[in-house]
C-alpha cells in the first residue's frame, strides 16, 4: 500500500480547512443564555428547545462512548436529565454547551467503564470482526493509491471502532471530542478542564495508540 | 536533521499546521528523506481521517418525547417529601426551641422512613432498590475520577467547593446502564440530600478497605461517627469527621490500602461536597461497595 507524500499533504490541507472552520466559531458569548435563563425559571419549552438544539451532538457523543444505539439513547437521555436536574446550579461560568458536554463526557466515560468491565466491547468487537473472516486481509489492496477509497472501506471503519473500544477512557474521550466530533482545542480544554497543551499531547498519544492498532489490523 | 525517534512527537503539530516554521521544515525534510517515518506519518493521517469519517448517527425521532417522559417520571412523591423536609430545616433556626426540636425529630423520622423505603415497582425487579441498594446493582458507584491519578490533587481538592449548607446540592438521579429506561429511575434518598456519599470506594476486598479506613483515621486526627448502613448488597456507608486539610491524605491512603477505584465528585457536582462541621473539620460519608470480581 502506498500513499505518497503529496497525497498526505493534500489530506493535511483538507484537515486544516475543517480545523479553521471549527475554530472560527469560538467566541465568548453564550448563544444559549436566554434559553438557559428561561429554563432555570421552570420554562419547560425552553428546555425542550435546548434539547432539540443539542440532541444530535449529545447522542453522537453518547454513541461514540458506548457503540450501541440503544445504550446511546439511554445514555443521552441520562445526560439531558442530569442537565435538567442541575440547571439551577449552572451559574454561567462557562457556556451552556461546554457545561452540557462536561456532563456528557463524564457520564459517557462512566458508562464506558461500566460496560467495559462487563465485557460489552470485547464480545461486540470480536464478533463483528469474525463475520468478516478472511476479507480483513484483502480489504486493503497494496495498490490503493486513493485515500478516499481506503478511508471509506467498511473494514477500516470496523478496525477504527475496535481500536477506540480498546482505548483507555481518557484517550477515548479526547479522540471522540476532537477527531470524531470535531470540537476545537479551546472548547475541549474547557470541557475537560485541562490546559490546552495537555489536551494536545493527550490527543496525540491517543491517536498514536489508534494508529498502531489500525496498522496491525490493516497492513 | 532530526532523528527518527523524535519525529513522531511532532506529527500532530505538523499535521495540523500547529508547529513553528523551523520545526515544520525540519520534520518535512526528514519525512522526504526517511521512508520509515513517512510511512508512520501516513498512518497518522489515515488514522485521523478514518476517525473523522465514521458514519453519522442520529437520535430516534421521539427522543424529546422519551426524555420528557423520563423527567416527569422522576418528579415523584419523594421530591415533595424532601422539599418539605428542607422547608422544615430552613425554619428551624428561627423557630422557638421546642418547635425546632419537634421539627428535628420529625425530620429524623422522615429521613428514616425514606431511607428505608423501597418503592414497590423497583423492588419487584429485584434489581434496583432505594439508595444504597440500587447503586450496588446498577454500577453507579464508581464515579468519575478512577482513571485520573489520585495524587494529582483532583480527588483531594474537588469536593471542597465552598458549599457548606447541608441542602445545597441538587439531586442528580442516576439510572443504571444497560437497562430499559422504563423502570430504571432511582429515587432520591435522604442520604443524597444530606450530603452522604461524598466519596465512593469500590474495592474487590471491601472488608479490607473498611478495616483500612479505621486504621487510617487516628493517623489523620479523624474519628468514626457512623457505620450503620450495611445492606444485603454488601455496601456500607461510613461517616467520619476529619480535618479538612487531611482529606487528600485520607483518599490516597485508601487507594494505597488497595481500594481500587476512588470516585469523588464528577464535574457536574453529582456527589455532594462534605459538610463543614467547624472551621477545621468536615463530615464526610464514604460508601464502600464491593467491586465486581
Ligand atoms: Zn525517520
Amino acid at each position: 500500500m502506498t500513499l505518497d507524500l503529496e497525497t498526505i499533504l493534500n489530506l493535511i490541507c483538507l484537515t486544516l480547512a475543517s480545523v479553521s472552520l471549527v475554530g472560527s466559531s469560538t467566541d465568548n458569548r453564550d448563544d444559549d443564555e436566554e434559553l438557559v435563563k428561561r429554563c432555570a425559571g421552570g420554562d419547560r419549552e425552553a428546555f425542550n428547545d435546548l434539547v432539540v438544539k443539542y440532541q444530535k451532538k449529545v447522542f453522537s457523543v453518547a454513541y461514540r462512548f458506548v457503540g450501541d444505539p440503544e445504550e446511546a439513547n439511554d445514555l443521552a437521555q441520562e445526560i439531558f436529565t442530569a442537565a435538567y436536574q442541575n440547571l439551577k446550579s449552572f451559574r454561567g461560568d462557562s457556556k451552556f454547551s461546554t457545561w452540557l458536554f462536561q456532563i456528557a463526557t463524564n457520564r459517557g466515560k462512566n458508562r464506558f467503564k461500566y460496560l467495559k468491565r462487563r465485557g460489552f466491547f470485547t464480545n461486540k468487537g470480536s464478533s463483528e470482526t469474525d463475520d468478516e473472516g478472511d476479507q480483513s486481509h484483502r480489504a486493503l489492496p497494496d495498490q490503493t493509491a486513493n485515500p478516499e477509497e481506503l478511508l471509506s472501506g467498511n473494514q477500516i471503519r470496523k478496525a477504527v471502532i475496535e481500536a477506540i473500544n480498546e482505548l483507555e477512557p481518557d484517550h477515548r474521550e479526547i479522540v471522540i471530542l476532537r477527531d470524531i466530533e470535531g470540537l476545537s482545542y479551546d472548547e475541549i480544554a474547557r470541557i475537560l478542564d485541562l490546559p490546552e497543551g495537555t489536551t494536545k499531547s493527550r490527543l496525540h498519544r491517543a491517536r498514536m495508540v489508534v494508529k498502531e492498532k489500525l496498522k496491525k489490523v490493516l497492513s | 536533521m532530526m532523528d527518527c525517534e523524535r519525529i513522531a512527537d511532532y506529527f500532530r503539530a505538523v499535521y495540523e499546521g500547529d508547529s513553528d516554521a523551523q520545526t515544520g521544515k525540519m520534520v518535512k525534510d526528514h519525512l522526504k528523506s526517511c521512508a520509515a517515518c513517512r510511512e508512520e506519518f501516513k498512518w497518522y493521517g489515515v488514522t485521523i481521517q478514518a476517525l473523522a469519517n465514521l458514519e453519522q448517527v442520529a437520535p430516534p425521532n421521539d427522543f424529546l418525547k422519551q426524555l420528557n417522559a423520563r423527567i416527569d417520571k422522576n418528579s415523584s412523591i419523594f421530591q415533595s417529601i424532601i422539599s418539605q423536609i428542607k422547608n422544615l430545616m430552613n425554619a428551624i433556626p428561627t423557630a422557638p426551641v421546642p418547635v425546632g426540636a419537634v421539627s428535628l425529630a420529625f425530620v429524623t423520622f422522615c429521613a428514616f422512613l425514606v431511607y428505608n423505603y423501597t418503592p414497590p415497582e423497583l423492588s419487584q425487579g429485584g434489581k434496583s432498590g432505594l439508595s444504597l441498594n440500587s447503586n450496588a446493582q446498577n454500577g453507579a458507584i464508581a464515579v468519575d475520577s478512577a482513571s485520573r491519578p489520585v495524587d494529582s490533587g483532583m480527588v483531594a481538592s474537588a469536593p471542597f467547593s465552598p458549599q457548606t449548607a447541608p441542602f445545597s446540592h441538587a439531586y442528580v438521579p442516576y439510572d443504571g446502564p444497560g437497562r430499559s429506561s422504563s423502570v430504571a429511575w432511582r429515587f432520591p434518598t435522604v442520604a443524597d440530600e444530606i450530603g452522604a456519599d461524598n466519596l465512593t470506594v469500590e474495592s474487590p476486598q471491601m472488608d479490607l478497605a473498611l478495616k483500612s479506613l479505621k486504621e487510617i483515621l487516628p493517623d489523620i486526627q479523624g474519628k468514626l461517627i457512623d457505620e450503620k448502613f450495611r445492606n444485603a448488597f454488601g455496601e456500607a456507608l461510613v461517616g467520619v469527621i476529619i480535618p479538612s486539610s487531611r482529606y487528600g491524605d485520607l483518599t490516597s491512603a485508601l487507594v494505597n490500602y488497595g481500594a481500587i477505584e476512588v470516585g469523588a465528585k464528577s464535574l457536574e457536582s453529582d456527589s455532594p461536597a462534605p459538610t463543614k462541621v467547624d472551621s477545621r473539620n468536615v463530615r464526610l460519608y464514604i460508601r464502600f461497595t464491593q467491586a465486581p470480581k
Side-chain angles (χ1 to χ4, degrees):
Chain A
M1 190 175 90
T2 51
L3 283 178
D4 58 20
L5 194 60
E6 199 124 323
T7 325
I8 297 165
L9 293 174
N10 285 340
L11 283 176
I12 295 173
C13 292
L14 276 175
T15 310
L16 286 181
S18 68
V19 168
S20 58
L21 271 178
V22 174
S24 65
S25 66
T26 319
D27 62 53
N28 287 327
R29 242 188 70 254
D30 190 350
D31 302 335
D32 302 317
E33 200 181 330
E34 192 54 44
L35 282 176
V36 170
K37 247 186 228 160
R38 276 170 50 203
C39 185
D43 183 343
R44 193 72 170 258
E45 276 305 308
F47 177 70
N48 287 348
D49 288 349
L50 286 170
V51 174
V52 169
K53 181 171 176 185
Y54 288 106
Q55 60 178 357
K56 197 156 181 276
K57 207 89 181 149
V58 167
F59 182 86
S60 181
V61 168
Y63 183 81
R64 295 310 169 191
F65 271 110
V66 297
D68 174 87
E70 212 170 302
E71 278 289 337
N73 188 36
D74 190 56
L75 175 57
Q77 287 192 31
E78 179 191 313
I79 291 163
F80 277 115
T81 308
Y84 182 79
Q85 302 281 342
N86 283 295
L87 206 63
K88 283 196 182 80
S89 64
F90 172 65
R91 283 182 288 273
D93 301 335
S94 63
K95 282 187 183 183
F96 170 76
S97 58
T98 304
W99 181 76
L100 181 65
F101 278 110
Q102 274 177 350
I103 298 177
T105 48
N106 263 333
R107 304 262 163 170
K109 221 155 73 159
N110 284 346
R111 183 77 67 107
F112 171 61
K113 284 190 230 169
Y114 171 88
L115 294 172
K116 194 167 184 149
R117 272 208 303 263
R118 280 149 187 82
F120 184 79
F121 299 107
T122 16
N123 301 339
K124 247 183 136 56
S126 59
S127 70
E128 266 179 33
T129 322
D130 290 348
D131 292 344
E132 289 292 305
D134 290 343
Q135 279 186 4
S136 60
H137 299 290
R138 286 186 273 115
L140 285 177
D142 278 352
Q143 317 305 329
T144 310
N146 177 356
E148 273 79 35
E149 198 178 303
L150 168 72
L151 294 168
S152 63
N154 207 28
Q155 186 56 31
I156 198 168
R157 191 182 64 79
K158 280 186 174 155
V160 169
I161 287 170
E162 255 178 74
I164 58 175
N165 281 348
E166 287 169 22
L167 285 178
E168 60 169 272
D170 282 353
H171 281 173
R172 184 175 176 116
E173 139 188 288
I174 206 152
V175 160
I176 289 173
L177 294 177
R178 175 66 188 180
D179 287 338
I180 305 182
E181 297 302 327
L183 269 60
S184 71
Y185 283 121
D186 176 57
E187 212 166 351
I188 297 169
R190 283 168 209 264
I191 291 169
L192 302 182
D193 197 18
L194 290 173
E196 205 167 300
T198 311
T199 307
K200 287 175 175 174
S201 55
R202 187 181 290 178
L203 174 72
H204 177 67
R205 285 196 302 277
R207 283 172 175 172
M208 295 296 273
V209 176
V210 177
K211 173 183 78 102
E212 285 311 307
K213 292 191 166 141
L214 288 188
K215 247 173 83 183
K216 215 169 113 193
V217 177
L218 300 174
S219 335
Chain B
M1 181 102 174
M2 220 174 250
D3 58 62
C4 295
E5 281 185 12
R6 283 177 57 214
I7 209 85
D9 295 344
Y10 297 97
F11 279 0
R12 189 207 60 79
V14 170
Y15 189 89
E16 296 177 353
D18 198 9
S19 64
D20 61 77
Q22 201 193 353
T23 313
K25 189 177 177 314
M26 277 200 304
V27 173
K28 280 173 193 166
D29 284 349
H30 183 98
L31 290 178
K32 274 179 197 154
S33 63
C34 175
C37 287
R38 203 157 60 231
E39 177 76 2
E40 288 305 305
F41 189 62
K42 177 190 75 186
W43 277 104
Y44 193 81
V46 165
T47 300
I48 294 169
Q49 293 293 310
L51 286 163
N53 282 5
L54 284 173
E55 88 282 23
Q56 300 278 308
V57 289
N61 291 333
D62 63 344
F63 183 83
L64 184 63
K65 201 174 140 203
Q66 283 185 41
L67 176 66
N68 276 307
R70 185 157 164 169
I71 289 172
D72 289 339
K73 191 163 184 170
N74 187 47
S75 313
S76 66
I77 186 164
F78 283 84
Q79 293 284 5
S80 73
I81 290 179
I82 280 161
S83 73
Q84 285 185 17
I85 295 176
K86 282 186 189 180
N87 291 341
L88 268 169
M89 280 301 274
N90 290 338
I92 288 173
T94 54
V97 174
V99 177
V102 169
S103 306
L104 192 58
F106 174 72
V107 166
T108 314
F109 177 68
C110 285
F112 180 79
L113 283 186
V114 173
Y115 208 81
N116 287 283
Y117 176 70
T118 303
E121 69 159 319
L122 293 181
S123 61
Q124 272 166 16
K127 273 186 140 185
S128 175
L130 190 65
S131 74
L132 300 177
N133 311 26
S134 62
N135 281 339
Q137 286 296 305
N138 63 26
I141 310 298
V143 194
D144 177 55
S145 60
S147 58
R148 298 163 198 257
V150 170
D151 61 1
S152 71
M154 185 269 172
V155 170
S157 60
F160 285 98
S161 57
Q163 305 271 17
T164 51
F167 293 124
S168 57
H169 284 270
Y171 169 70
V172 181
Y174 180 89
D175 59 350
R179 357 190 36 227
S180 76
S181 55
S182 55
V183 291
W185 211 251
R186 180 164 79 88
F187 286 92
T189 67
V190 170
D192 290 313
E193 294 288 329
I194 63 176
D197 188 15
N198 309 108
L199 183 70
T200 299
V201 175
E202 187 181 59
S203 170
Q205 287 179 282
M206 217 183 81
D207 287 338
L208 178 69
L210 255 171
K211 197 170 140 256
S212 323
L213 172 73
K214 289 174 194 166
E215 281 170 18
I216 296 161
L217 277 177
D219 297 340
I220 58 167
Q221 289 96 46
K223 63 177 182 196
L224 192 70
I225 51 167
D226 213 348
E227 196 200 344
K228 59 187 172 188
F229 304 112
R230 184 142 199 170
N231 61 36
F233 293 98
E235 289 191 356
L237 186 66
V238 178
V240 295
I241 289 181
I242 56 166
S244 49
S245 57
R246 306 304 295 271
Y247 183 79
D249 298 336
L250 177 73
T251 52
S252 357
L254 282 171
V255 171
N256 293 340
Y257 265 93
I260 280 187
E261 292 188 67
V262 174
K265 74 169 216 172
S266 47
L267 283 170
E268 79 274 26
S269 308
D270 61 357
S271 266
T275 309
K276 229 177 194 166
V277 179
D278 52 43
S279 60
R280 269 192 72 234
N281 298 300
V282 289
R283 185 171 60 243
L284 175 72
Y285 283 88
I286 305 170
R287 189 197 305 255
F288 285 88
T289 76
Q290 187 70 47
K293 288 188 176 122

